[in-house]
């Protein structure tokens, strides 16, 4: 067991427990548990959005992909960044204006049918659990690698801690985990970039030349085709990353944790700068990894490339820098998992328990207890699934989660917010078609494509459009007219003016 790694990781876990203890004293209402009563500042929420958005796959996976495949690896970063810009320009403020706690609120503002809220809620919970399992498995393997603990013990410890964090700390703890993660990750990544560039006397050209020299692709390192051999695969991957990430529920709920639309705009702009800067730094890290660690050493350590960043840190700064960067990577996994648990918890407690079972009249204490119980069930379910799937390759779960989000949640949001003729039947048809297509194409034998998003996502849109054409209803179009000003101008005619001014 490496003592330096243990100290760093234990400090993070202990710090979050202290935050949870403090947060538990303030979590007395559902509003506080779900969205911190909207009391985060724009800066805090911007840091938290970035913490939610930048996953372990973004940090470890993209760095390794760039080191192994050059140009093709950087396409992952491009996809994630474009996805965020899509959220910024088309989704963020309308979601904040129509919703209160969950995506179900947004859809119910236009289609107040109980069946649609149920489908949206179940789909949200399914995406969160599917994405949680590989995250928890990655955390278990990470702890096993750094500290030498058994995989089962590692998963159990991390899973229980995540459950406790959300169960008692709610969105307060979740937000601060994400804020701390962002600060650690950006600090560690920036430090590592400076160390890489200093090795080449601050000459980017020398870094590029050394990277091409160390890569088996030589000059082809900077051309496409090393990983994605066909333009069809490239387009499919980008489509899945862009639309899938934009539909992930744990990112969407972050727009409710600030006071008004002005704070939403400020927080997403802050997050934009953080996320954009981070993805530029992953390019430096990926090039530095292949140039300084060497392609063969990277491939021997991990054929998937996920150890590229830690190995680069060790090469440049020894055990201490590697421990710091590993702690940042670990905090990244924790931040994403807490975000997923709170999203699933809010969806069940608010949408299903309060609105569907109690028609929006459940008491505050009952809602809070149900939310805490749901957090416990979600966390324990993820632990059990992670233990059962220890020996299996669960990469397909990540693909499935992104494809489901891109073929169900994103079309539903976009068409609800921007298409006047969209109907409730079209919403249900699109979600069901997107879900079934995602399952079919991701499961073995569904297709030979490595990234079948180009098949599933258009099917979700097409079913929503076809279902709408078959069931056009004037009363549903009139309902869109009623929420139009709220969606695009922040003006609620029922209150006689701007929501933002009155909030």
């Amino acid at each position: 067991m490496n003592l330096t790694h243990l100290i760093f990781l234990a400090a993070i876990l202990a710090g979050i427990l202290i935050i949870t203890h403090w947060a538990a004293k303030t979590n007395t209402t559902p509003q506080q548990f779900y969205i911190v009563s909207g009391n985060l500042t724009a800066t805090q929420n911007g840091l938290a959005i970035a913490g939610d958005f930048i996953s372990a796959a973004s940090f470890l996976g993209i760095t390794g992909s760039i080191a192994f495949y050059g140009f093709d690896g950087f396409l992952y970063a491009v996809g994630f960044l474009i996805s965020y810009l899509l959220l910024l320009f088309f989704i963020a403020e309308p979601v904040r204006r129509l919703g209160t706690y969950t995506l179900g609120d947004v859809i119910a503002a236009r289609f107040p049918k109980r069946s649609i809220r149920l489908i949206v809620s179940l789909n949200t919970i399914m995406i969160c659990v599917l994405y949680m399992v590989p995250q928890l498995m990655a955390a278990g393997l990470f702890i096993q690698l750094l500290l030498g603990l058994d995989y089962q013990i590692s998963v159990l410890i991390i899973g229980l801690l995540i459950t406790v964090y959300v169960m008692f700390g709610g969105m307060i703890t979740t937000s601060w985990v994400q804020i701390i993660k962002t600060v650690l990750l950006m600090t560690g990544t920036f430090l590592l970039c400076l160390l890489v560039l200093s090795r080449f006397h601050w000459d980017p050209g020398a870094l590029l030349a050394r990277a091409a020299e160390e890569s088996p692709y030589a000059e082809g390192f900077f051309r496409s085709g090393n990983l994605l051999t066909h333009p069809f695969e490239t387009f499919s991957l980008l489509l899945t990353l862009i639309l899938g990430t934009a539909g992930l529920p744990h990112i969407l709920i972050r727009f409710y944790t600030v006071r008004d639309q002005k704070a939403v705009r400020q927080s997403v702009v802050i997050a934009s700068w953080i996320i954009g800067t981070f993805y530029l730094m992953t390019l430096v890290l990926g090039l530095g990894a292949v140039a300084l660690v060497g392609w063969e050493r990277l491939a021997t350590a991990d054929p998937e490339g996920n150890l590229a960043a830690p190995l680069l840190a060790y090469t440049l700064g020894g055990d201490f820098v590697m421990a710091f960067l590993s702690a940042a990577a670990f905090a990244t996994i924790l931040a994403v998992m807490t975000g997923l648990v709170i999203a699933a918890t809010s969806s069940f407690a608010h949408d299903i328990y309060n609105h569907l079972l109690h028609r929006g009249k459940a008491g505050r204490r009952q809602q809070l207890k149900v939310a805490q119980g749901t957090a416990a069930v979600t966390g324990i379910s993820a632990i059990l699934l992670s233990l059962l799937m220890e020996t299996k390759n669960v990469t397909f779960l990540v693909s499935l989660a992104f494809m489901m989000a891109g073929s169900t949640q994103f079309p539903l949001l976009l068409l609800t917010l921007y298409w006047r003729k969209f109907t409730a039947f079209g919403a249900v048809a699109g979600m069901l078609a997107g879900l079934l297509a995602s399952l079919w194409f991701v499961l073995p034998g569904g297709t030979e494509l490595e990234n079948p998003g180009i098949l599933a996502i258009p099917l979700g849109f097409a079913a929503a459009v076809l279902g709408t054409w078959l069931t056009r209803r004037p009363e549903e179009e009139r309902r869109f007219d009623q929420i139009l000003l709220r969606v695009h101008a922040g003006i609620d005619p029922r209150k006689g003016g701007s929501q933002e001014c009155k909030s």
Side-chain angles (χ1 to χ4, degrees):
M1 181 178 292
N2 188 301
L3 184 59
T4 307
H5 288 111
L6 178 62
I7 292 172
F8 272 95
L9 297 180
I12 289 176
L13 294 175
I16 298 173
L17 277 176
I18 293 171
I19 293 171
T20 303
H21 176 72
W22 162 70
K25 297 178 181 179
T26 64
N27 271 328
T28 56
T29 66
Q31 187 181 29
Q32 187 73 9
F33 185 91
Y34 297 146
I35 58 169
V36 204
S37 297
N39 286 331
L40 289 185
T41 67
T43 300
Q44 290 170 340
N45 201 45
L47 289 166
I49 289 173
D52 230 347
F53 196 88
I54 301 171
S55 66
S58 296
F59 177 44
L60 300 175
I62 290 177
T63 301
S65 294
I66 293 172
F68 275 9
Y69 306 108
F71 178 84
D72 282 1
F74 190 62
L75 285 178
Y76 283 90
V78 173
F80 285 127
L81 184 56
I82 294 175
S83 173
Y84 184 76
L85 296 177
L86 191 66
L87 276 174
L88 170 62
F89 290 117
F90 296 104
I91 303 296
E93 289 191 52
V95 163
R96 177 64 174 78
R97 288 164 181 159
L98 284 187
T100 305
Y101 300 129
T102 65
L103 178 61
D105 286 335
V106 179
I107 308 306
R110 181 167 179 188
F111 304 117
K113 292 189 175 182
R114 293 160 59 82
S115 58
I116 294 183
R117 190 186 278 268
L118 176 62
I119 293 172
V120 172
S121 178
L122 293 176
N123 192 63
T124 295
I125 294 169
M126 194 182 306
I127 291 172
C128 289
V129 173
L130 286 172
Y131 199 23
M132 268 188 68
V133 171
Q135 294 286 332
L136 184 53
M137 292 180 71
L141 292 170
F142 203 68
I143 295 298
Q144 183 182 35
L145 174 69
L146 295 180
L147 302 182
L149 295 177
D150 289 340
Y151 169 82
Q152 292 88 350
I153 295 174
S154 301
V155 166
L156 192 61
I157 292 173
I158 300 306
L160 289 176
L161 284 172
I162 291 293
T163 303
V164 169
Y165 293 159
V166 178
M167 185 176 174
F168 295 101
M171 182 57 88
I172 301 177
T173 298
T174 300
S175 298
W176 280 103
V177 170
Q178 291 158 351
I179 292 168
I180 292 168
K181 163 267 183 82
T182 301
V183 173
L184 286 176
L185 186 62
M186 293 299 289
T187 302
T189 306
F190 181 67
L191 170 65
L192 210 53
C193 285
L194 293 180
L195 290 173
V196 168
L197 292 172
S198 69
R199 287 291 185 97
F200 295 94
H201 307 288
W202 312 101
D203 181 4
L207 171 60
L208 294 173
R210 180 68 176 274
E213 181 183 325
E214 291 291 331
S215 170
Y217 298 107
E219 292 301 321
F221 184 70
F222 302 110
R223 294 193 292 268
S224 63
N226 299 331
L227 174 63
L228 304 166
T229 56
H230 195 281
F232 196 73
E233 284 279 6
T234 304
F235 181 75
S236 186
L237 171 66
L238 288 174
L239 187 69
T240 304
L241 290 177
I242 293 169
L243 301 189
T245 308
L248 289 174
H250 68 297
I251 295 172
L252 294 170
I253 63 172
R254 288 242 56 98
F255 302 133
Y256 299 129
T257 55
V258 288
R259 183 170 300 175
D260 50 37
Q261 279 75 46
K262 180 181 178 182
V264 170
R265 287 192 293 272
Q266 291 174 338
S267 61
V268 293
V269 168
I270 291 168
S272 299
W273 281 102
I274 295 171
I275 292 167
T277 303
F278 171 78
Y279 285 127
L280 285 176
M281 290 194 294
T282 60
L283 179 59
V284 177
L285 296 190
L287 294 171
V290 69
L292 297 172
V293 180
W295 193 90
E296 291 186 3
R297 186 182 170 196
L298 291 174
T300 302
D302 179 13
E304 301 296 324
N306 292 323
L307 295 180
L311 286 173
L312 176 64
Y314 185 79
T315 301
L316 292 172
D319 204 39
F320 184 85
V321 175
M322 181 181 178
F324 182 84
L325 201 72
S326 297
F330 181 62
T332 298
I333 298 173
L334 293 182
V336 174
M337 282 197 292
T338 53
L340 291 166
V341 174
I342 196 71
T345 297
S346 302
S347 188
F348 180 85
H350 178 66
D351 290 323
I352 296 179
Y353 178 78
N354 182 36
H355 278 280
L356 298 181
L357 297 181
H358 292 273
R359 299 184 180 275
K361 297 179 180 178
R364 289 186 174 185
R365 292 186 63 184
Q366 288 82 358
Q367 285 188 63
L368 188 57
K369 288 180 180 179
V370 169
Q372 292 173 329
T374 305
V377 171
T378 303
I380 292 170
S381 300
I383 293 171
L384 293 176
L385 287 171
S386 299
L387 293 175
L388 289 172
M389 302 184 76
E390 175 186 359
T391 59
K392 295 178 174 57
N393 186 340
V394 297
T395 307
F396 76 95
L397 291 180
V398 178
S399 301
L400 181 57
F402 273 75
M403 206 174 307
M404 282 178 59
S407 60
T408 60
Q409 306 273 70
F410 183 77
L412 179 67
L413 263 179
L414 196 67
L415 297 177
T416 297
L417 297 174
Y418 292 98
W419 192 21
R420 184 174 184 270
K421 297 177 181 178
F422 194 40
T423 65
F425 184 82
V428 173
M431 291 199 71
L432 293 179
L435 172 61
L436 293 175
S438 299
L439 291 170
W440 176 262
F441 290 127
V442 168
L443 293 178
T447 177
E448 294 182 2
L449 283 177
E450 188 73 23
N451 302 288
I454 198 170
L455 302 176
I457 294 173
L459 279 175
F461 274 101
V465 172
L466 181 60
T468 296
W469 282 346
L470 293 175
T471 59
R472 284 187 59 184
R473 293 170 180 163
E475 66 272 16
E476 292 190 349
E477 293 183 24
R478 286 194 294 270
R479 189 165 187 86
F480 178 73
D481 294 335
Q482 293 170 8
I483 67 167
L484 186 61
L485 287 176
R486 287 176 61 194
V487 172
H488 300 297
I491 298 173
D492 190 346
R494 301 170 304 175
K495 299 180 180 179
S498 169
Q499 297 179 76
E500 185 170 330
C501 292
K502 290 179 176 292
S503 58

